[in-house]
Amino acid sequence: MVRDMKSSIAFYEALLNMKADSRKLERWAQFHCGNTLALWNPEFDKELIRTNSDVSEHFNEAYLNKQESEVRYGNNVILNFNVTDLNAEYERVKSLDIGVVSEIFYINVVRPYHCFMIEDPDGNLIEITGDYHTESIKF
């Protein structure tokens, strides 16, 4: 869920290095990047409901009743993208200057891996992981 489709689409187009495959007004955008990543702006639906007396062509009663619940933005899920060269991707994402990028982390709980994180415009964390090469770091 996103608040600002324009900035979220720009962020994900830069991060994924691809254009959104489909886009419907300021409500929905999709990226096919191995799986489907979809962005949805719930405020679009709320405004449509507020400004139209008959919305039955757009929504059923169950959906309209669900609109009463509070929308929670940010960190509802952590997306994980795997890349072949973590070093190169880290440098590429940092150079985009599209959000706060963490340092590269080393984690060894289930199995050893390296990753870094970036926040999207709504505060959702995205983890980028992949092959990491270093000769100088010792753990």
Side-chain angles (χ1 to χ4, degrees), residues 80 82 106-114 127 129-131:
N80 178 288
N82 194 308
Y106 171 76
I107 302 167
N108 185 3
V109 177
V110 176
R111 65 174 180 80
Y113 73 100
H114 291 87
E127 181 182 88
T129 188
D131 291 336

Side-chain angles (χ1 to χ4, degrees), residues 7-138:
S7 63
S8 291
I9 288 171
F11 173 88
Y12 282 100
E13 285 182 344
L15 180 69
L16 298 172
N17 200 23
M18 65 172 43
K19 294 288 185 192
D21 292 339
S22 61
R23 184 173 176 183
K24 179 67 174 166
L25 305 170
E26 290 299 314
R27 182 184 194 272
W28 185 265
Q30 281 185 186
F31 297 86
H32 294 287
C33 51
N35 288 307
T36 300
L37 172 67
L39 307 177
W40 170 51
N41 175 6
E43 292 304 316
F44 182 90
D45 293 0
K46 288 182 179 184
E47 183 63 22
L48 187 62
I49 292 166
R50 274 194 296 271
T51 58
N52 290 278
S53 58
D54 181 15
V55 291
S56 60
E57 72 177 280
H58 300 290
F59 311 110
N60 70 3
E61 198 63 37
Y63 184 84
L64 292 171
N65 291 337
K66 171 106 175 73
Q67 293 308 298
E68 299 303 317
S69 62
E70 182 181 338
V71 174
R72 288 186 15 191
Y73 292 95
N75 230 10
N76 293 315
V77 66
I78 296 177
L79 298 175
N80 178 288
F81 294 110
N82 194 308
V83 297
T84 17
D85 185 340
L86 188 65
N87 305 63
E89 185 65 4
Y90 182 70
E91 294 305 321
R92 185 188 78 83
V93 170
K94 280 186 6 182
S95 74
L96 294 172
D97 196 27
I98 56 174
V100 176
V101 180
S102 75
E103 296 296 319
I104 293 179
F105 302 128
Y106 171 76
I107 302 167
N108 185 3
V109 177
V110 176
R111 65 174 180 80
Y113 73 100
H114 291 87
C115 68
F116 67 90
M117 301 215 178
I118 183 169
E119 285 186 25
D120 79 358
D122 288 290
N124 295 302
L125 288 176
I126 299 163
E127 181 182 88
I128 314 284
T129 188
D131 291 336
Y132 180 71
H133 306 285
T134 180
E135 288 76 50
S136 61
I137 296 180
K138 297 188 188 316

